[in-house]
Amino acid sequence: MLELQNRPIPGQYMALFPFLLSPQLWERPGSIPPLTRLIQAYIEKNPDGMKDSVNSILGIFQKLIASRSNDHFGFYLLNTMVENLDKSVLQTFLKSVFSLLFQRMQSSKTTKFMKNFIVFMSLFAGKIGAQLLIDTIDSIQQGLFGMVVEKIFIAELQKIAGETEKKITAVGVTKILTEGPAMLNDNYVRLWAGLLNALVQMFEEGVDNSTPQDEHFIEIEDTPGYTTAFNQLIFATKKPLDPFAGSVTNPKVHLAESLKKASVRYPGKLQPLIQSGVKGPAVSKLQEYLLSANIASLS
């Protein structure tokens, strides 16, 4: 019902909101899916009214992200906040959020977690800014973003599946390549062509569905505490929304156009990187993207 309400949300709905943040409500696994969707609806419908609740919502996120079964629900909340809340509201909490994510990755890395982490970082870069993403991660440890590019983006990009997820990832990686100045300075320029290669491979090659033999993460449908029928009933009509529907139509053309703009800002910088670092079929595919965007060459 709340998802059907127009802004502003009626007062009786907002009166209920503080009770939804009670930790006791989130103890039952079966309550997590509908509660997550409800909190998302509140954020989407009343972003200005969430300023005083960000810390409490992130407390729920922290609980969910620690669970191999429920970490995806934590990312749902995080993504909704990134899409709807002002950067100034989130900025105070960013370092803590990323620290929690890296701690979880170190203690219990799963394929599901890594895919969600990539989509989240890509959404962050696309919506809030690539340079802020880089600066926030490097504020945890100098040079850490280089590891993120090499060990997460380049290594895992091929595992991203789903039309919306792939588009979010493509837009975010394009922003990192073309709107993050740190990617073109001495610290990270060595990774630039490798990241571009990985993006073209994501566009053109099949999804890598392999998982480590010792990985036994729980699929969403197998999460204990609610049945498949309940899952289908709750989520049947909620389709993934494209956060870039109004700004990016074709991610490949968007990449080409963004590369052109970046080549104007950094004349003589991109073409040598592409010539020396982009390999194999990616060379011809990149040329196809440029032609599709009516771009003859980069500066």
Side-chain angles (χ1 to χ4, degrees):
M1 292 293 293
L2 181 59
E3 292 172 337
L4 301 178
Q5 293 288 332
N6 295 320
R7 296 181 180 180
I9 296 177
Q12 61 267 33
Y13 283 101
M14 288 309 302
L16 175 64
F17 183 70
F19 297 99
L20 301 177
L21 302 177
S22 172
Q24 290 80 5
L25 283 181
W26 296 81
E27 292 298 327
R28 290 177 56 85
S31 300
I32 290 173
L35 282 172
T36 300
R37 182 168 174 179
L38 192 53
I39 296 296
Q40 287 180 275
Y42 272 98
I43 297 170
E44 291 166 354
K45 294 296 183 179
N46 190 24
D48 292 339
M50 295 295 109
K51 295 177 182 178
D52 294 333
S53 301
V54 171
N55 198 45
S56 297
I57 297 171
L58 289 176
I60 295 169
F61 153 78
Q62 183 175 359
K63 176 180 176 62
L64 295 173
I65 212 71
S67 165
R68 289 161 64 99
S69 301
N70 297 316
D71 52 12
H72 51 287
F73 293 114
F75 278 109
Y76 293 167
L77 292 178
L78 206 54
N79 291 345
T80 304
M81 293 173 75
V82 167
E83 285 186 58
N84 292 278
L85 301 187
D86 191 82
K87 178 175 68 174
S88 62
V89 175
L90 295 173
Q91 201 151 3
T92 304
F93 305 95
L94 292 179
K95 185 175 180 178
S96 296
V97 166
F98 276 95
S99 294
L100 287 170
L101 291 170
F102 285 121
Q103 288 168 15
R104 164 57 208 277
M105 185 180 73
Q106 290 178 336
S107 65
S108 182
K109 177 181 175 182
T110 67
T111 300
K112 175 164 73 86
F113 177 86
M114 296 307 294
K115 290 193 290 187
N116 278 293
F117 196 8
I118 289 173
V119 172
F120 162 66
M121 289 190 289
S122 300
L123 181 65
F124 186 105
K127 284 291 184 180
I128 299 182
Q131 191 58 47
L132 182 57
L133 175 70
I134 296 169
D135 291 342
T136 301
I137 293 175
D138 276 348
S139 72
I140 298 171
Q141 178 182 313
Q142 190 58 41
L144 183 58
F145 187 73
M147 183 278 288
V148 168
V149 172
E150 187 172 12
K151 303 297 184 182
I152 300 179
F153 277 106
I154 294 177
E156 306 280 355
L157 212 59
Q158 204 65 34
K159 294 183 178 180
I160 301 299
E163 182 178 352
T164 300
E165 290 80 0
K166 292 182 80 168
K167 182 177 180 181
I168 292 170
T169 303
V171 172
V173 171
T174 295
K175 294 276 188 181
I176 292 169
L177 287 166
T178 62
E179 296 183 19
M183 280 298 293
L184 289 168
N185 68 20
D186 291 341
N187 289 335
Y188 300 134
V189 69
R190 62 185 176 82
L191 300 169
W192 191 90
L195 183 58
L196 180 57
N197 267 316
L199 178 56
V200 174
Q201 288 173 356
M202 188 192 77
F203 282 143
E204 303 299 338
E205 298 181 9
V207 176
D208 176 7
N209 291 312
S210 63
T211 56
Q213 291 185 352
D214 61 347
E215 184 177 303
H216 302 288
F217 66 87
I218 302 174
E219 294 288 355
I220 294 176
E221 291 80 2
D222 298 328
T223 303
Y226 68 103
T227 65
T228 301
F230 175 82
N231 185 32
Q232 292 172 346
L233 175 65
I234 292 295
F235 291 100
T237 58
K238 188 172 177 62
K239 298 179 180 178
L241 298 178
D242 178 1
F244 301 107
S247 57
V248 177
T249 303
N250 184 326
K252 297 177 183 179
V253 171
H254 176 66
L255 170 62
E257 292 172 342
S258 298
L259 287 172
K260 180 61 177 178
K261 292 176 183 176
S263 75
V264 172
R265 290 196 301 273
Y266 303 98
K269 186 85 172 183
L270 269 60
Q271 195 63 45
L273 290 174
I274 293 172
Q275 289 174 344
S276 62
V278 177
K279 306 296 182 183
V283 176
S284 59
K285 290 299 179 182
L286 193 56
Q287 191 60 40
E288 287 179 17
Y289 306 162
L290 292 170
L291 292 174
S292 296
N294 296 315
I295 297 171
S297 62
L298 300 178
S299 301

